[in-house]
Amino acid sequence: SEALADEAENLGYTIDLAMGSPRFVNPTLMDWNSSVDLRASVEFPVLMQLMGARFRFGVEVGSFKFENQKFNQVGEDVIGLGETFSGITAMGIVSFPAGPGKIKIGSGIFGASFGFMFEATYGIALGSLDLRIGMRSTEIMGAMDSADRSFGHLGWMDGLMVLGVNF
């Protein structure tokens, strides 16, 4: 356990700055355009181990935005041009670092709804910096648009780029 504590101390705090753009969406979002989403996460200098898997805890905040580009219908409601599905995300994360790669799992608030995400990235380490690319899947339960219409379950996948800094 001392070796694990020493390794955690060497990791210190990690700040990840990420930008991604949704590409694969569920059918409800097919006619909606997405923008580039920005995220920042902080991982704490506590390294845990369970049956060989090492992980860290952290928090993440970010944004997401989709804008409707076509008239479409959800139930009996007609959704017009320019309506948006957007918001701020705030969640707790568990990170599994592996060299310059990382797997993250998180859950929390997406706008006014509960959701969760899974992310896998890999890249190169340059001293205390990590440059990574990867994929991220986001699932939201009970999503609402700008006109307070309920979409139910929504999901999408992002391609993303991450700059990680260790302090």
Side-chain angles (χ1 to χ4, degrees):
S1 67
E2 281 187 32
L4 190 63
D6 291 342
E7 190 173 335
E9 189 66 33
N10 290 340
L11 285 173
Y13 286 91
T14 300
I15 297 175
D16 281 346
L17 303 174
M19 62 184 213
S21 182
R23 288 295 162 238
F24 299 107
V25 297
N26 70 348
T28 305
L29 292 174
M30 284 291 201
D31 297 323
W32 296 63
N33 283 345
S34 61
S35 58
V36 174
D37 301 327
L38 302 174
R39 297 177 199 96
S41 66
V42 176
E43 296 169 21
F44 305 113
V46 176
L47 187 63
M48 311 276 291
Q49 184 170 345
L50 180 65
M51 296 178 15
R54 294 181 178 192
F55 56 93
R56 301 172 72 186
F57 295 104
V59 294
E60 179 181 286
V61 294
S63 66
F64 65 94
K65 182 176 181 181
F66 293 88
E67 186 173 7
N68 190 24
Q69 297 300 305
K70 179 179 170 182
F71 282 102
N72 57 12
Q73 191 165 347
V74 173
E76 296 184 18
D77 291 329
V78 175
I79 299 173
L81 295 170
E83 290 186 17
T84 60
F85 169 58
S86 62
I88 301 295
T89 64
M91 71 181 94
I93 60 172
V94 176
S95 172
F96 299 88
K102 192 177 289 187
I103 293 174
K104 289 183 185 178
I105 299 170
S107 66
I109 301 299
F110 290 77
S113 304
F114 175 77
F116 57 92
M117 69 84 182
F118 175 82
E119 175 182 306
T121 57
Y122 194 77
I124 58 172
L126 304 168
S128 64
L129 295 176
D130 291 340
L131 297 172
R132 303 186 312 269
I133 60 171
M135 298 290 289
R136 177 185 180 111
S137 175
T138 303
E139 303 291 325
I140 299 178
M141 312 302 168
M144 305 285 281
D145 73 354
S146 59
D148 289 332
R149 279 187 207 84
S150 177
F151 289 128
H153 172 261
L154 289 180
W156 64 86
M157 287 187 73
D158 294 25
L160 63 133
M161 294 188 336
V162 180
L163 171 64
V165 181
N166 294 313
F167 293 103

